[in-house]
Amino acid sequence: QNVYLSEAFFDCALTSRGSDQAVALFPSFVAHHNSSSLIFCSPLTRAIQTCLLAITGAGGAGGETNSEEQRKVILDESLREVTGLHPCDRRRPRREIEQLWNEHAVDVDATNIPDDDTDTAWNPTKRETLESVQARARTFLRSVARRAMSTETKAAWVFSHGVLLEQ
């Protein structure tokens, strides 16, 4: 059986190896982050976990930050993995995302995620095209550029998935 087609891996979590890799990003985050940086993340569980581990340096489930600074992570639908066919790439409903992450030491902002019970971007019979992924990447970059020009933003951290970041 193809594990990519298994419902058992719906919006799957990070593996222990992935968690270790995410925690290892913390020194880089500390060295380059400043209070005007924006932090964006895919709404898929494994991306949120990567982001929170990388920006807090917390290896434990409690999510305590190694800093007094309150950090905000903006979830953005355009940062998702290729959608369709694979349950591991299907997003949870927004209210469930908010419930999962609302008690974390970091403010996880899901207001940009559609308030729906089903993932309408996910198609059970076919994968999203590469052209569509590229268009999402361009749209995201334009929106970050506009936001940076209208604020004091000096940097943006983006936590997404390989296929999107390669575009």
Side-chain angles (χ1 to χ4, degrees), residues 14 19 22-23 26 29 39 41 45-75 96-110:
L14 275 180
S19 294
V23 170
F26 181 67
F29 180 80
I39 305 169
C41 185
T45 296
R46 60 193 180 271
I48 297 170
Q49 289 173 316
T50 299
C51 175
L52 296 178
L53 289 169
I55 70 173
T56 64
E64 295 303 316
T65 63
N66 289 337
S67 167
E68 295 301 314
E69 174 189 348
Q70 176 64 31
R71 297 185 177 134
K72 179 178 181 177
V73 174
I74 302 165
L75 301 185
E96 191 175 329
I97 294 169
E98 291 169 336
Q99 289 169 351
L100 284 170
W101 305 107
N102 73 353
E103 293 188 18
H104 204 280
V106 174
D107 177 14
V108 177
D109 178 0

Side-chain angles (χ1 to χ4, degrees), residues 31-164:
H32 300 287
H33 174 73
N34 63 60
S35 61
S36 68
S37 297
L38 294 173
I39 305 169
F40 297 96
C41 185
S42 160
L44 296 180
T45 296
R46 60 193 180 271
I48 297 170
Q49 289 173 316
T50 299
C51 175
L52 296 178
L53 289 169
I55 70 173
T56 64
E64 295 303 316
T65 63
N66 289 337
S67 167
E68 295 301 314
E69 174 189 348
Q70 176 64 31
R71 297 185 177 134
K72 179 178 181 177
V73 174
I74 302 165
L75 301 185
D76 193 304
E77 188 82 345
S78 62
L79 294 175
R80 294 179 58 173
E81 178 64 274
V82 177
T83 63
L85 195 59
H86 301 159
C88 61
D89 300 328
R90 191 172 71 235
R91 176 184 49 75
R92 296 174 189 279
R94 183 171 100 186
R95 70 178 185 291
E96 191 175 329
I97 294 169
E98 291 169 336
Q99 289 169 351
L100 284 170
W101 305 107
N102 73 353
E103 293 188 18
H104 204 280
V106 174
D107 177 14
V108 177
D109 178 0
T111 57
N112 293 329
I113 305 303
D115 190 11
D116 53 13
D117 286 335
T118 59
D119 182 355
T120 55
W122 188 80
N123 183 320
T125 60
K126 69 177 186 175
R127 296 287 279 167
E128 178 181 21
T129 65
L130 183 58
E131 291 78 19
S132 176
V133 173
Q134 291 169 336
R136 280 195 289 123
R138 284 190 300 272
T139 299
F140 172 76
L141 290 174
R142 280 191 216 101
S143 73
V144 170
R146 278 192 303 274
R147 191 173 191 158
M149 289 175 12
S150 66
T151 65
E152 295 296 318
T153 300
K154 302 286 186 244
W157 289 82
V158 178
F159 294 86
S160 187
H161 306 271
V163 70
L164 189 103

